[in-house]
Every structure is written in structure tokens, then in C-alpha cells.
Amino acid sequence: LSSSKITFHKGFENVLGFSDDEVTLETYLAQFHPEDEALVNRVGKYSILHSINNPEDSENNVLHISFRIRKKNNDYIKILSQSCIYEVTKDGVMISSMVKLRDISFLDTSNIVEWNFEAANLDIELFKKEIYSDNNLLFTLREIEIIQAIAKNYSNSVIAEDLKIS
């Protein structure tokens, strides 16, 4: 992590079609599907930050995340990435992580990024708020009121009357 590079890799050719010599951290990250990239990066970022900020219990932290990634032939496949801490300092601070990739296209062809972060001392609600904080900018407060009413199965006329809108 401190060097921001992949120090060991094996099997990328089997999964993505790239020879091990072609794989760098930059080339790997550049293969994420554009629609998945931001969320995958945010989940990764906040899971690493949690591990750094909670070093005493971070050795057993595991992040599972599925997303689309481009193979060398430009086809996208769905992969499941499992990340865990591989090496820590004597103080328990993370130095490196191990990431395993598996092609799960035969199981899942959806366009949905799914994730699960298992970590000690994790406040999952706060973690989700950090990850999805950009979504707070998508709707105005008034639009959120309308969406909440729709979610409660209110009819258009009830929503209009309650919110005093036409």
C-alpha cells in the first residue's frame, strides 16, 4: 500500500487475459467498468481507512466486492474480489493487502456493484453514509419528500395534497 503498486501477482492471464508482466496497479484500476469505478473505489478507500484507523483489530478485516471489469479483449466480466490484510507493522498498522479475483460471470451478469465489509468495530451505518455521501447531492429536499411519499405507496393526489403541490 505504501508503494502504491502490485508487488506480486499471478493468474491475471487466466481471468483477464493480461500476462503477469503487463499487470500494474494502474492497468488493473483502468479496467474497472466506468459505471462501477467510483463506487468500487469509495468502498475500497473507506475499508482501508477503517483498517488504518482501527489497527488493533484489523487483521481479520475482509472486503468482498463484485463488479464489472474489462478483459484484455475488451469484453466485460463480473468478478468477485476478496481483499484482506496481508502484512501489518508490529503496531498492527496495515502495510499490504492480498486481493483474490474470481470470475463470477457464470453466476451473476448484473450491472450491480455489491459489497460486504467484515471488520471489527465497524459502525456499518456510518460506513454506508461515508460511501454513499455523494448521493446526497442527487435530489433536493423537496424531491426527497416526494420520493419518501412514493415509497410509502401514496397516490399522486395524496402526495399533492400533503405537500401542497399540484
Side-chain angles (χ1 to χ4, degrees), residues 18-47:
F18 294 96
S19 72
D20 289 339
D21 294 337
E22 293 176 283
V23 178
T24 65
L25 183 58
E26 294 77 27
T27 58
Y28 169 69
L29 296 174
Q31 305 314 312
F32 291 5
H33 193 285
E35 293 174 7
D36 298 355
E37 181 178 12
L39 180 56
V40 172
N41 286 333
R42 281 195 312 271
V43 171
K45 171 186 173 180
Y46 287 109
S47 62

Short mmCIF file of all heavy atoms in Angstrom, two decimals, residues 18-47:
data_model
loop_
_atom_site.label_atom_id
_atom_site.label_comp_id
_atom_site.label_asym_id
_atom_site.label_seq_id
_atom_site.Cartn_x
_atom_site.Cartn_y
_atom_site.Cartn_z
N PHE A 18 -4.54 -10.67 -19.42
CA PHE A 18 -3.29 -9.92 -19.38
C PHE A 18 -2.20 -10.83 -18.82
O PHE A 18 -2.41 -11.52 -17.83
CB PHE A 18 -3.40 -8.69 -18.46
CG PHE A 18 -4.35 -7.65 -18.96
CD1 PHE A 18 -5.65 -7.59 -18.51
CD2 PHE A 18 -3.92 -6.70 -19.89
CE1 PHE A 18 -6.53 -6.62 -18.96
CE2 PHE A 18 -4.79 -5.72 -20.34
CZ PHE A 18 -6.09 -5.68 -19.88
N SER A 19 -1.03 -10.81 -19.44
CA SER A 19 0.09 -11.56 -18.87
C SER A 19 0.50 -10.89 -17.57
O SER A 19 0.26 -9.69 -17.37
CB SER A 19 1.27 -11.60 -19.85
OG SER A 19 1.89 -10.34 -19.92
N ASP A 20 1.12 -11.66 -16.70
CA ASP A 20 1.53 -11.09 -15.41
C ASP A 20 2.48 -9.92 -15.60
O ASP A 20 2.48 -8.98 -14.80
CB ASP A 20 2.17 -12.17 -14.53
CG ASP A 20 1.14 -13.18 -14.03
OD1 ASP A 20 -0.06 -12.83 -14.00
OD2 ASP A 20 1.53 -14.29 -13.65
N ASP A 21 3.27 -9.93 -16.67
CA ASP A 21 4.20 -8.82 -16.93
C ASP A 21 3.47 -7.52 -17.31
O ASP A 21 3.99 -6.44 -17.10
CB ASP A 21 5.16 -9.17 -18.07
CG ASP A 21 6.10 -10.31 -17.70
OD1 ASP A 21 6.30 -10.54 -16.48
OD2 ASP A 21 6.62 -10.97 -18.61
N GLU A 22 2.27 -7.63 -17.86
CA GLU A 22 1.51 -6.45 -18.27
C GLU A 22 0.76 -5.79 -17.12
O GLU A 22 0.30 -4.66 -17.26
CB GLU A 22 0.46 -6.85 -19.33
CG GLU A 22 1.02 -7.31 -20.65
CD GLU A 22 -0.09 -7.76 -21.57
OE1 GLU A 22 -0.62 -8.87 -21.40
OE2 GLU A 22 -0.44 -6.96 -22.48
N VAL A 23 0.61 -6.48 -16.01
CA VAL A 23 -0.25 -6.00 -14.94
C VAL A 23 0.51 -5.10 -13.98
O VAL A 23 1.51 -5.48 -13.39
CB VAL A 23 -0.87 -7.18 -14.16
CG1 VAL A 23 -1.72 -6.67 -13.01
CG2 VAL A 23 -1.69 -8.05 -15.08
N THR A 24 0.00 -3.88 -13.87
CA THR A 24 0.46 -2.93 -12.85
C THR A 24 -0.80 -2.48 -12.12
O THR A 24 -1.92 -2.74 -12.57
CB THR A 24 1.16 -1.71 -13.46
OG1 THR A 24 0.18 -0.97 -14.23
CG2 THR A 24 2.34 -2.11 -14.34
N LEU A 25 -0.62 -1.78 -11.03
CA LEU A 25 -1.78 -1.26 -10.32
C LEU A 25 -2.59 -0.33 -11.23
O LEU A 25 -3.81 -0.40 -11.27
CB LEU A 25 -1.35 -0.53 -9.04
CG LEU A 25 -2.48 0.00 -8.17
CD1 LEU A 25 -3.41 -1.13 -7.73
CD2 LEU A 25 -1.92 0.73 -6.96
N GLU A 26 -1.89 0.49 -11.99
CA GLU A 26 -2.58 1.43 -12.89
C GLU A 26 -3.38 0.71 -13.96
O GLU A 26 -4.52 1.08 -14.24
CB GLU A 26 -1.58 2.40 -13.54
CG GLU A 26 -0.90 3.35 -12.58
CD GLU A 26 0.22 2.69 -11.76
OE1 GLU A 26 0.83 1.70 -12.22
OE2 GLU A 26 0.46 3.16 -10.64
N THR A 27 -2.78 -0.32 -14.59
CA THR A 27 -3.52 -1.03 -15.64
C THR A 27 -4.71 -1.79 -15.06
O THR A 27 -5.77 -1.85 -15.68
CB THR A 27 -2.62 -2.00 -16.45
OG1 THR A 27 -2.03 -2.94 -15.57
CG2 THR A 27 -1.57 -1.26 -17.21
N TYR A 28 -4.55 -2.34 -13.87
CA TYR A 28 -5.65 -3.05 -13.22
C TYR A 28 -6.80 -2.09 -12.94
O TYR A 28 -7.95 -2.35 -13.31
CB TYR A 28 -5.16 -3.72 -11.93
CG TYR A 28 -6.27 -4.25 -11.07
CD1 TYR A 28 -7.04 -5.34 -11.46
CD2 TYR A 28 -6.57 -3.64 -9.85
CE1 TYR A 28 -8.07 -5.82 -10.67
CE2 TYR A 28 -7.60 -4.12 -9.05
CZ TYR A 28 -8.34 -5.20 -9.47
OH TYR A 28 -9.36 -5.67 -8.69
N LEU A 29 -6.49 -0.96 -12.30
CA LEU A 29 -7.54 0.01 -11.94
C LEU A 29 -8.21 0.60 -13.17
O LEU A 29 -9.40 0.95 -13.14
CB LEU A 29 -6.96 1.12 -11.06
CG LEU A 29 -6.43 0.68 -9.69
CD1 LEU A 29 -5.77 1.84 -8.98
CD2 LEU A 29 -7.51 0.05 -8.84
N ALA A 30 -7.48 0.70 -14.27
CA ALA A 30 -8.04 1.28 -15.51
C ALA A 30 -9.04 0.34 -16.18
O ALA A 30 -9.76 0.76 -17.08
CB ALA A 30 -6.91 1.61 -16.48
N GLN A 31 -9.13 -0.89 -15.73
CA GLN A 31 -10.04 -1.86 -16.35
C GLN A 31 -11.43 -1.87 -15.72
O GLN A 31 -12.34 -2.51 -16.24
CB GLN A 31 -9.44 -3.28 -16.29
CG GLN A 31 -8.05 -3.42 -16.89
CD GLN A 31 -7.89 -2.76 -18.23
OE1 GLN A 31 -8.69 -2.93 -19.14
NE2 GLN A 31 -6.83 -1.97 -18.36
N PHE A 32 -11.63 -1.17 -14.60
CA PHE A 32 -12.94 -1.15 -13.96
C PHE A 32 -13.97 -0.56 -14.92
O PHE A 32 -13.69 0.39 -15.63
CB PHE A 32 -12.93 -0.29 -12.69
CG PHE A 32 -12.13 -0.84 -11.55
CD1 PHE A 32 -11.37 -1.99 -11.65
CD2 PHE A 32 -12.14 -0.19 -10.34
CE1 PHE A 32 -10.64 -2.48 -10.58
CE2 PHE A 32 -11.42 -0.66 -9.25
CZ PHE A 32 -10.66 -1.81 -9.38
N HIS A 33 -15.16 -1.12 -14.91
CA HIS A 33 -16.24 -0.57 -15.73
C HIS A 33 -16.48 0.87 -15.28
O HIS A 33 -16.56 1.15 -14.07
CB HIS A 33 -17.51 -1.40 -15.57
CG HIS A 33 -18.55 -1.09 -16.58
ND1 HIS A 33 -19.31 0.06 -16.53
CD2 HIS A 33 -18.95 -1.75 -17.69
CE1 HIS A 33 -20.15 0.08 -17.54
NE2 HIS A 33 -19.95 -1.01 -18.26
N PRO A 34 -16.63 1.81 -16.22
CA PRO A 34 -16.82 3.22 -15.85
C PRO A 34 -17.99 3.47 -14.90
O PRO A 34 -17.93 4.35 -14.06
CB PRO A 34 -17.04 3.93 -17.19
CG PRO A 34 -16.49 3.03 -18.21
CD PRO A 34 -16.59 1.62 -17.68
N GLU A 35 -19.06 2.69 -15.03
CA GLU A 35 -20.22 2.88 -14.16
C GLU A 35 -20.00 2.30 -12.76
O GLU A 35 -20.72 2.63 -11.83
CB GLU A 35 -21.46 2.24 -14.79
CG GLU A 35 -21.92 2.94 -16.05
CD GLU A 35 -23.05 2.22 -16.76
OE1 GLU A 35 -23.59 1.23 -16.21
OE2 GLU A 35 -23.39 2.65 -17.88
N ASP A 36 -19.01 1.43 -12.60
CA ASP A 36 -18.73 0.79 -11.31
C ASP A 36 -17.57 1.44 -10.58
O ASP A 36 -17.45 1.32 -9.36
CB ASP A 36 -18.39 -0.70 -11.51
CG ASP A 36 -19.52 -1.49 -12.13
OD1 ASP A 36 -20.62 -0.94 -12.33
OD2 ASP A 36 -19.31 -2.68 -12.43
N GLU A 37 -16.73 2.12 -11.32
CA GLU A 37 -15.44 2.59 -10.81
C GLU A 37 -15.55 3.45 -9.55
O GLU A 37 -14.85 3.21 -8.55
CB GLU A 37 -14.72 3.37 -11.90
CG GLU A 37 -13.36 3.89 -11.51
CD GLU A 37 -12.68 4.62 -12.65
OE1 GLU A 37 -13.32 4.95 -13.67
OE2 GLU A 37 -11.48 4.89 -12.49
N ALA A 38 -16.41 4.45 -9.54
CA ALA A 38 -16.49 5.37 -8.40
C ALA A 38 -16.90 4.64 -7.12
O ALA A 38 -16.28 4.82 -6.07
CB ALA A 38 -17.44 6.51 -8.70
N LEU A 39 -17.92 3.80 -7.21
CA LEU A 39 -18.39 3.09 -6.02
C LEU A 39 -17.34 2.09 -5.54
O LEU A 39 -17.08 1.99 -4.34
CB LEU A 39 -19.72 2.39 -6.30
CG LEU A 39 -20.32 1.60 -5.12
CD1 LEU A 39 -20.49 2.49 -3.89
CD2 LEU A 39 -21.64 0.98 -5.53
N VAL A 40 -16.74 1.34 -6.45
CA VAL A 40 -15.70 0.37 -6.07
C VAL A 40 -14.55 1.10 -5.38
O VAL A 40 -14.06 0.65 -4.33
CB VAL A 40 -15.20 -0.42 -7.30
CG1 VAL A 40 -13.99 -1.28 -6.95
CG2 VAL A 40 -16.32 -1.28 -7.87
N ASN A 41 -14.14 2.24 -5.92
CA ASN A 41 -13.05 3.00 -5.31
C ASN A 41 -13.43 3.54 -3.93
O ASN A 41 -12.61 3.53 -3.01
CB ASN A 41 -12.60 4.13 -6.23
CG ASN A 41 -11.80 3.61 -7.40
OD1 ASN A 41 -11.16 2.57 -7.33
ND2 ASN A 41 -11.85 4.33 -8.51
N ARG A 42 -14.68 4.02 -3.78
CA ARG A 42 -15.09 4.54 -2.47
C ARG A 42 -15.16 3.43 -1.42
O ARG A 42 -14.72 3.62 -0.29
CB ARG A 42 -16.45 5.25 -2.57
CG ARG A 42 -16.34 6.65 -3.14
CD ARG A 42 -17.59 7.49 -2.91
NE ARG A 42 -18.84 6.85 -3.25
CZ ARG A 42 -19.42 6.90 -4.45
NH1 ARG A 42 -18.86 7.54 -5.44
NH2 ARG A 42 -20.57 6.30 -4.66
N VAL A 43 -15.72 2.27 -1.79
CA VAL A 43 -15.79 1.15 -0.84
C VAL A 43 -14.38 0.73 -0.44
O VAL A 43 -14.09 0.52 0.74
CB VAL A 43 -16.58 -0.03 -1.43
CG1 VAL A 43 -16.47 -1.26 -0.53
CG2 VAL A 43 -18.04 0.34 -1.64
N GLY A 44 -13.48 0.63 -1.42
CA GLY A 44 -12.10 0.28 -1.13
C GLY A 44 -11.43 1.30 -0.24
O GLY A 44 -10.76 0.95 0.74
N LYS A 45 -11.61 2.56 -0.56
CA LYS A 45 -11.00 3.64 0.21
C LYS A 45 -11.45 3.61 1.67
O LYS A 45 -10.62 3.64 2.59
CB LYS A 45 -11.37 5.00 -0.40
CG LYS A 45 -10.96 6.19 0.44
CD LYS A 45 -11.48 7.49 -0.15
CE LYS A 45 -11.23 8.68 0.76
NZ LYS A 45 -11.73 9.92 0.17
N TYR A 46 -12.74 3.52 1.90
CA TYR A 46 -13.24 3.57 3.27
C TYR A 46 -12.94 2.28 4.05
O TYR A 46 -12.80 2.33 5.27
CB TYR A 46 -14.71 3.95 3.31
CG TYR A 46 -14.90 5.42 3.00
CD1 TYR A 46 -15.46 5.83 1.80
CD2 TYR A 46 -14.44 6.38 3.89
CE1 TYR A 46 -15.60 7.19 1.51
CE2 TYR A 46 -14.57 7.74 3.60
CZ TYR A 46 -15.14 8.13 2.42
OH TYR A 46 -15.26 9.46 2.12
N SER A 47 -12.83 1.16 3.37
CA SER A 47 -12.44 -0.06 4.08
C SER A 47 -10.98 0.02 4.50
O SER A 47 -10.61 -0.38 5.62
CB SER A 47 -12.73 -1.32 3.25
OG SER A 47 -11.99 -1.32 2.06
#
